[in-house]
Amino acid sequence: MSIKTNFDFERDVIPLLPRVAKPARYTGGEYNSVVKTESRLDFVLCYPDVYEIGMSNLGLRILYQALNEVEGIAAERAYVPWPDLATLLREKGIPLWTLERHRPLAEADLVGITLQYEMTFTNILLLLELSRIPLLAADRRDGDPIIVGGGPCAFNPAPLAPWFDIFVLGDGDLSVVEVAETVRAGKEAGQSRAEIVAALCRLPYVWAPELKREARRSIVGDLADAPFPVRQLVPNVRAIQDRGLIEVSRGCTNGCRFCHAGMTYRPVRERTPDDLVALA
């Protein structure tokens, strides 16, 4: 499923870093990052904004640990570069890379993009453009990664439907592993990209534009059963939310109709005080 390129991080990127702001955004090597030398499935988790904002997101940290705990699956990360580097990448024809193994995103099996708020939607197109991945799902072929959308804005997927292969609705703590395992099984069975996408579309919490049915949210009933990163990534550059994170609860009892998170993260689930102390 991978497309090979002649990209070389040391040769192509390192000489550019003195010319951009905060070059440590792009090098990887963070404390507690996971670098797997071998894998049978490569899953890139992308936050469609700059490094400092993406590294503040707890959801992607949870997915990062959940995937990397599975043998044979490598979860890596990518963020949208600042305009100074984005301009250089266009000029030099250099594809966007992962922070862990410095590999082009176009070589991955899956690229997961979190949809946290609508203002990042244009950044999604920038991310795909810089990665040399066809923008439209209809233009992707065998060898192109499967583009997956998730997060709060996935509950209104239609505006983004032309650019994504599938959307995963609800809690990703456990469903992201099932998605990855489905792709790995199809890959090992020699299935085509279209066949693998069709298999993903049979999962109840997956929605795709061609489906004639509704999708149901994936819900983690008890947070104690879900993975949580106790070896959290430490950013190279000071993050917007510069602190350790513990998820005390998920959901809200108020149910305000204007609150996106209050509606999409329900029902309310809380960790016990003992669990919180243990995590801390």
Side-chain angles (χ1 to χ4, degrees):
M1 183 175 288
S2 296
I3 297 176
K4 298 300 181 185
T5 71
N6 62 355
F7 171 81
D8 182 271
F9 181 79
E10 298 287 336
R11 180 195 66 208
D12 299 331
V13 177
I14 294 297
L16 300 180
L17 295 185
R19 301 170 59 184
V20 302
K22 299 181 181 180
R25 289 167 168 159
Y26 311 112
T27 58
E30 297 96 337
Y31 186 68
N32 285 334
S33 61
V34 179
V35 180
K36 294 188 175 181
T37 56
E38 296 182 1
S39 63
R40 300 199 302 275
L41 182 109
D42 299 325
F43 199 138
V44 183
L45 299 171
C46 299
Y47 194 99
D49 211 321
V50 71
Y51 177 91
E52 294 96 308
I53 298 177
M55 282 293 287
S56 301
N57 183 262
L58 177 60
L60 282 191
R61 297 188 188 199
I62 293 173
L63 302 186
Y64 185 77
Q65 173 160 316
L67 289 166
N68 277 319
E69 285 180 345
V70 182
E71 184 178 356
I73 295 178
E76 303 185 57
R77 295 165 296 123
Y79 306 97
V80 173
W82 197 252
D84 55 3
L85 182 60
T87 299
L88 288 172
L89 297 185
R90 284 197 184 100
E91 291 176 355
K92 305 291 185 181
I94 298 172
L96 192 62
W97 58 89
T98 65
L99 293 182
E100 276 72 16
R101 290 187 287 179
H102 301 149
R103 299 178 60 193
L105 270 64
E107 293 185 4
D109 300 296
L110 286 151
V111 172
I113 303 175
T114 184
L115 311 174
Q116 292 293 319
Y117 50 97
E118 290 83 356
M119 294 296 288
T120 63
F121 284 3
T122 52
N123 282 352
I124 294 168
L125 302 182
L126 174 62
L127 188 147
L128 293 173
E129 176 203 342
L130 293 177
S131 302
R132 308 288 189 83
I133 296 170
L135 293 182
L136 294 172
D139 294 336
R140 298 180 194 129
R141 300 291 182 264
D142 286 343
D144 292 321
I146 295 169
I147 309 301
V148 183
C153 292
F155 286 93
N156 183 26
L160 292 174
W163 296 279
F164 283 82
D165 295 299
I166 64 168
F167 295 86
V168 175
L169 305 186
D171 296 331
D173 314 52
L174 306 177
S175 61
V176 70
V177 175
E178 187 174 14
V179 167
E181 294 281 17
T182 300
V183 175
R184 181 167 68 173
K187 180 182 176 182
E188 293 176 349
Q191 294 180 341
S192 68
R193 186 180 187 278
E195 290 172 327
I196 294 174
V197 171
L200 290 170
C201 288
R202 289 192 285 271
L203 299 174
Y205 47 79
V206 166
W207 185 87
E210 65 273 14
L211 289 179
K212 304 302 180 182
R213 63 161 175 82
E214 295 180 351
R216 296 187 176 186
R217 286 187 301 146
S218 171
I219 300 176
V220 174
D222 189 343
L223 295 182
D225 298 329
F228 190 83
V230 293
R231 291 179 55 82
Q232 296 193 10
L233 288 160
V234 179
N236 288 337
V237 175
R238 185 172 183 177
I240 298 300
Q241 297 178 7
D242 186 26
R243 54 185 177 270
L245 299 172
I246 291 181
E247 186 182 35
V248 175
S249 64
R250 191 177 301 181
C252 177
T253 58
N254 292 331
C256 301
R257 297 297 295 180
F258 64 82
C259 178
H260 194 181
M263 301 306 294
T264 58
Y265 289 120
R266 58 176 47 189
V268 176
R269 289 146 291 167
E270 299 176 340
R271 297 184 188 272
T272 67
D274 288 343
D275 287 343
L276 292 172
V277 170
L279 289 174

